[in-house]
Amino acid sequence: MLEFLTFLLDNAIMPIKSEQLLLTKGDKLPLEDAGYRYVYGISEGIIAVQKEEMILDFSSIGQFVGFYADGNSRLEGEVLTKSAIVWKFELRDILTKIGVNNDGFLLYSKQASHMHDSLMKKISILKLNNTNKLILSLRSLASRFGESATDLESCRLPECFTKKVLSNYTGIKLSSLTKVLNNLHDDGKIVHSRRVILVHI
């Protein structure tokens, strides 16, 4: 995934304007401003892509925020981790650069396919009941962002995936989410404590 960001930052191939931003938890990334559309390539950290309070997806190292579009409301990114490093681009510059380079277009297509697959998977999961919705969401997040646990069959979710974040991502009310987490713990599908979620995969 880092290949596309490396391509965009390569000034030997049609240089485009970019700006490195050092961010902290809670910082917002506007995707539209004064008629401009922005895209952010992530070098470090985890960013939520959200529509008001609803989280559509998450992006991390080598991935991008800003290729999503919604004509009805404004989308923005929010830093979930303690810190993040991103590269800011104008969307039109990216489209111009990939338009003149076949390798760039292929890298963009790979990125777009990954985003599409992630959103389609989420849409199918959201049709399920709360228990299945949550366990499948946790497994998906663990496979994408999880950290190895001492148990090789488990992944630990980064602490930035709080109950509030999971609630905003799955659409499960916070009060119900705690109950479902406890049930999944009792069923042996996860290990859940105050700030730790281990997911058996």
Side-chain angles (χ1 to χ4, degrees), residues 135 138 181 184-186 188-192 197-200:
I135 188 60
L138 290 173
L181 282 171
L184 291 173
H185 176 89
D186 293 342
K189 294 180 178 177
I190 67 170
V191 176
H192 169 241
I197 299 177
L198 289 179
V199 183
H200 302 311

Side-chain angles (χ1 to χ4, degrees), residues 25 38 41 52 65 131:
K25 184 178 176 70
Y38 295 108
E52 298 173 351
V65 173
T131 299

